Amino acid sequence: MQPLDDTIISFEAAATLRDLVIREPQETAGAYTHPIDTELFHIRMASTAGKREAASLLLRKMYGWRGYDVDAETAHVPNRITLYAETRGATVGTMSLCLDDPALGLPADENFRDKLDELRGQARRLCEPSRLAIDKDVSKRVFAALIHISYIYAHNIHGYTDYVIEVNPRHVMFYKRMLGFRDFGGERPCSRVGAPAVLLRLELERMGEQIRRFGGQMEQAPGERSFYPYFFPLRDEPGITGRLIQGHD
């Protein structure tokens, strides 16, 4: 779909997670229908203080609902981009991507510096998805879109090699099953959110293989349980790449 203004990409998707489940057929004027509501979602980069504030509001809402503390952090950070998903003028998803920098490091350095330094010593280029929040019941395509765009930005444009991510122990299996992350740093207290965290790692080349295999195949890969069929098809990557370069570099 043709992007609007500063939109990286727009797409139609089921309005909520519940809409992804085919309901029982309903008889309407003698015909059976499967009503599925759709929304038009836009993915954009939060390039102003106002847009970062909107993303932070959603972040505080979703983390607060789970009982976690989280800082607002609306100021621009040189090695970080923030993406957000919007529909009908409302922010319904957000994530930040931090690129490793010799001076600034990564958020995970606060709790896992020794483990990250192991990878740096192997000449791996690290980046960290963080501050991820998706409004309740929003389509899983929003989550997949944010992750796919962050992959394009980190790997295809800037040549980074690995995601590292801190997650609550309750969410470890989700990230392993849905995206292919692997254990890397064990469990430690996370001072930023006042809860335990587990460090996971995913090689971006491995993520690229899964995108090439399953991207855009929501209906063609019914047996695949990961999120990769909800990623964009490979043919969409050049357009996304061009808009990311134009909008940020």
Side-chain angles (χ1 to χ4, degrees), residues 60-70 168 170 193-195:
R60 291 197 296 271
K61 169 187 169 184
M62 300 311 297
Y63 277 58
W65 176 68
R66 294 178 174 89
Y68 302 150
D69 296 324
V70 62
N168 187 282
R170 293 199 304 267
V193 298

Side-chain angles (χ1 to χ4, degrees), residues 61-223:
K61 169 187 169 184
M62 300 311 297
Y63 277 58
W65 176 68
R66 294 178 174 89
Y68 302 150
D69 296 324
V70 62
D71 295 330
E73 287 193 16
T74 58
H76 174 63
V77 180
N79 67 329
R80 177 184 299 163
I81 64 166
T82 295
L83 302 169
Y84 68 99
E86 185 180 68
T87 184
R88 298 186 182 182
T91 300
V92 295
T94 182
M95 70 165 290
S96 294
L97 179 69
C98 300
L99 304 177
D100 199 12
D101 177 271
L104 300 172
L106 294 172
D109 277 313
E110 186 173 331
N111 304 300
F112 292 97
R113 178 65 181 266
D114 56 327
K115 301 300 295 185
L116 301 190
D117 281 347
E118 286 182 20
L119 294 176
R120 291 169 178 135
Q122 300 167 20
R124 306 297 292 183
R125 301 189 68 205
L126 311 180
C127 54
E128 181 178 355
S130 65
R131 302 172 67 81
L132 174 65
I134 306 292
D135 211 346
K136 289 185 292 185
D137 291 335
V138 169
S139 167
K140 63 181 69 176
R141 282 205 68 196
V142 171
F143 176 92
L146 292 170
I147 296 294
H148 193 168
I149 291 170
S150 75
Y151 159 84
I152 292 170
Y153 185 84
H155 185 65
N156 294 4
I157 296 177
H158 292 289
Y160 283 77
T161 62
D162 295 79
Y163 277 154
V164 291
I165 188 171
E166 292 177 286
V167 301
N168 187 282
R170 293 199 304 267
H171 303 153
V172 166
M173 289 309 300
F174 171 87
Y175 282 94
K176 287 182 176 180
R177 183 174 64 252
M178 294 303 180
L179 291 171
F181 276 89
R182 299 173 180 174
D183 290 312
F184 186 67
E187 180 180 326
R188 298 179 185 180
C190 180
S191 53
R192 291 191 305 281
V193 298
V198 174
L199 184 68
L200 304 177
R201 173 192 179 192
L202 175 59
E203 297 92 336
L204 292 180
E205 181 55 41
R206 185 164 178 254
M207 173 173 267
E209 291 171 359
Q210 297 304 302
I211 293 171
R212 290 188 290 273
R213 183 177 179 186
F214 293 113
Q217 297 189 36
M218 288 175 290
E219 298 177 356
Q220 290 78 21

Side-chain angles (χ1 to χ4, degrees), residues 9-23:
I9 194 166
S10 298
F11 58 92
E12 289 186 346
T16 70
L17 288 175
R18 285 189 291 268
D19 287 333
L20 292 171
V21 180
I22 298 296
R23 305 176 185 138

